[in-house]
């Protein structure tokens, strides 16, 4: 029995930016009162992990255990925990839900005030970490940290899912799938018969395409500078694929012409501020809506002509597709099991955890959709 004891296990440590991750033996302390220790079974690699590793998120502290898109089994729980128990299959939540703060009580919000996503302390509520390596404190990432055999999260940052769910697939519901899918179905509320444009065809953008299709969009224009991404985009529902590099005109002019004045909904799923403005300009005068999904480097600013908004366009942004995790995650897992949604196409590679650096190489080289690591 490991309950109540420190667990020694393997984790991928990011000691500093721009260096490969190093697999080390770490010590994982037992969960405190409101905490849950989880044995990770599968974790996807998301571009947000790479943004931190590349040093683009200067407010995030190293050394750190990255990873935030996972499924696992509860190993043990703190004495105040009531919603999960040892043996439960779970997904850690990047957007926590305390159910008591103004945001949790608000029907339209999915971010929690208690676990404020802007703070990035990398620590638990008592300002300590459950992770250490060679005597050094290791920070957590997005209240989850899943590139490790064991992690500890707050009870408000984890939810039980159906035991029958295959972890190497449903782990994507922990970030990429929900983020893209929810951006279309929940944040934008794409309507049947509409025209949608998705910029960036990684795991997030492809999931946005799936959401647009499920919502009944009749045209889904997929945009990427890497044409190798086009076949997958078509497979999940894109009706047309275009590369900005094939035109001399700016991409928003190309899209405006293709769509008789602009799209109903546009989604920026890359994280480039100029592309966010292009997405807005690609939406139709009077009713177009843009959702910002991509994460820009810390401190980056958008500059735009207010006339774009004055003339009836809207811009929104959302983390995790605007979904409240505690309700939507188990529901999406059920929808996956009953084949209402399909996310299998998103997983392009499955590697053993030890090959994590190869997974990051594929991501940087534009050679994958999602790599899932299994433990
Ligand atoms: P990934 O790198 O797999 O995909 C990005 C795609 O964008 C690639 O296919 C690129 O070729 C393409 N691209 C790059 N530049 C351009 C350009 N100028 N025009 C068109 N396409 C381009 O990344 P991902 O899908 O894992 O993540 C995408 C973004 O979403 C990234 O910024 C990530 O940090 C962010 C994100 C947001 C959220 C959220 O909750 N809002 C959650 N997770 C990730
Ligand atoms: Zn992510």
């Amino acid at each position: 029995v490991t309950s109540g004891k420190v667990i020694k296990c393997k984790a991928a440590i990011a000691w500093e930016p721009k260096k490969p991750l190093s697999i080390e033996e770490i010590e994982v302390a037992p969960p405190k009162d409101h905490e849950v220790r989880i044995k990770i079974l599968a974790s996807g690699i998301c571009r947000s992990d790479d943004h931190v590793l590349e040093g683009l998120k200067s407010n995030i502290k190293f050394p750190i255990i990255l990873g935030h898109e996972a499924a696992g089994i509860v190993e043990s729980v703190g004495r105040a925990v009531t919603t999960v128990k040892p043996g439960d299959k779970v997904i850690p939540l990047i957007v926590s839900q305390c159910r008591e703060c103004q945001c949790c009580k608000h029907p339209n919000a999915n971010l929690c005030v208690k676990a404020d996503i802007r703070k990035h302390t990398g620590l638990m509520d008592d300002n300590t970490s459950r992770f250490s390596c060679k005597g050094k404190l290791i920070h957590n990432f997005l209240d989850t940290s899943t590139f490790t055999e064991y992690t500890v999260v707050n009870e408000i940052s984890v939810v039980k899912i159906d035991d029958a769910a295959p972890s190497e697939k449903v782990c994507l519901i922990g970030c990429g799938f929900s983020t893209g899918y929810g951006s279309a179905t929940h944040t934008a509320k794409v309507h049947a018969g509409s025209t949608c444009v998705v910029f960036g065809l990684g795991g997030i953008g492809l999931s946005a395409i799936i959401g647009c299709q499920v919502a009944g969009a009749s045209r889904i224009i997929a945009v990427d500078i890497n044409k190798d991404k086009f076949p997958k985009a078509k497979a999940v529902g894109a009706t047309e694929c275009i590369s900005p590099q094939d035109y001399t005109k700016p991409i928003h002019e190309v899209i405006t012409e293709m769509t008789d004045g602009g799209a109903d909904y546009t989604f920026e799923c890359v994280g480039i501020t100029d592309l966010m403005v292009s997405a807005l300009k690609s939406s139709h005068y009077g009713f177009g809506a843009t959702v910002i999904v991509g994460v820009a480097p810390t401190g980056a600013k958008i500059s735009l002509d207010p006339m774009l908004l004055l003339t009836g366009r809207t811009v929104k942004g959302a983390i995790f597709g605007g979904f409240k995790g505690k309700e939507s995650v188990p529901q999406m897992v059920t929808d996956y099991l009953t084949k209402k949604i399909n996310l299998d196409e998103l997983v392009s590679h499955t590697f053993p955890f030890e090959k994590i650096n190869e997974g990051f190489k594929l991501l940087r080289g534009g050679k994958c959709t999602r790599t899932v690591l299994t433990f």
Side-chain angles (χ1 to χ4, degrees), residues 217-246:
S218 49
R219 276 181 88 185
I220 304 170
I221 302 169
V223 186
D224 203 299
I225 51 173
N226 178 355
K227 289 186 179 178
D228 294 345
K229 303 282 182 151
F230 292 174
K232 247 317 154 51
K234 288 227 163 111
V236 299
T239 56
E240 293 134 277
C241 294
I242 57 172
S243 167
Q245 292 170 337
D246 286 347

Side-chain angles (χ1 to χ4, degrees), residues 44-49 67-69 94 141-142 172 174-177 179 204 295 320 370:
I45 301 178
C46 172
R47 183 62 79 163
S48 302
D49 301 307
H68 59 279
E69 180 179 88
I94 53 172
F141 181 47
L142 295 176
L172 298 195
C175 178
F177 179 76
T179 297
I204 307 276
V295 177
F320 202 57
R370 261 310 195 252

Side-chain angles (χ1 to χ4, degrees), residues 34-243:
H34 295 276
E35 298 172 0
V36 178
R37 190 158 59 182
I38 303 165
K39 183 181 198 309
I40 299 293
L41 297 175
S43 178
I45 301 178
C46 172
R47 183 62 79 163
S48 302
D49 301 307
D50 192 52
H51 285 335
V52 177
L53 211 47
E54 290 290 297
L56 299 174
K57 305 305 291 177
S58 51
N59 49 345
I60 292 183
K61 298 179 192 75
F62 286 76
I64 184 168
I65 297 176
L66 295 167
H68 59 279
E69 180 179 88
I73 299 267
V74 174
E75 174 271 338
S76 64
V77 300
R79 77 189 103 179
V81 170
T82 57
T83 57
V84 293
K85 58 180 191 308
D88 282 352
K89 195 171 268 189
V90 292
I91 286 183
L93 301 175
I94 53 172
V95 293
S96 307
Q97 202 176 332
C98 75
R99 297 184 189 274
E100 285 163 8
C101 71
Q102 296 113 296
C103 280
C104 283
K105 284 184 180 157
H106 197 288
N108 301 341
N110 74 326
L111 302 177
C112 181
V113 176
K114 194 165 175 213
D116 191 332
I117 207 154
R118 297 167 299 184
K119 281 186 185 152
H120 297 299
T121 61
L123 300 171
M124 304 305 283
D125 288 347
D126 62 355
N127 279 318
T128 63
S129 174
R130 299 297 158 266
F131 302 130
S132 64
C133 178
K134 298 173 184 163
K136 291 205 175 71
L137 178 152
I138 310 293
H139 296 92
N140 72 26
F141 181 47
L142 295 176
D143 294 320
T144 48
S145 284
T146 61
F147 295 154
T148 169
E149 290 175 322
Y150 287 88
T151 190
V152 177
V153 305
N154 281 313
E155 184 180 14
I156 62 171
S157 314
V158 61
V159 69
K160 178 176 157 49
I161 59 165
D162 193 320
D163 286 331
S167 14
E168 71 286 0
K169 296 289 191 319
V170 299
C171 60
L172 298 195
I173 293 174
C175 178
F177 179 76
S178 305
T179 297
Y181 183 79
S183 297
T185 59
H186 189 85
T187 307
K189 297 198 168 54
V190 166
H191 67 273
S194 61
T195 296
C196 300
V197 183
V198 176
F199 294 85
L201 306 176
I204 307 276
L206 293 179
S207 302
I209 293 175
I210 295 174
C212 293
Q213 199 200 34
V214 167
S218 49
R219 276 181 88 185
I220 304 170
I221 302 169
V223 186
D224 203 299
I225 51 173
N226 178 355
K227 289 186 179 178
D228 294 345
K229 303 282 182 151
F230 292 174
K232 247 317 154 51
K234 288 227 163 111
V236 299
T239 56
E240 293 134 277
C241 294
I242 57 172
S243 167

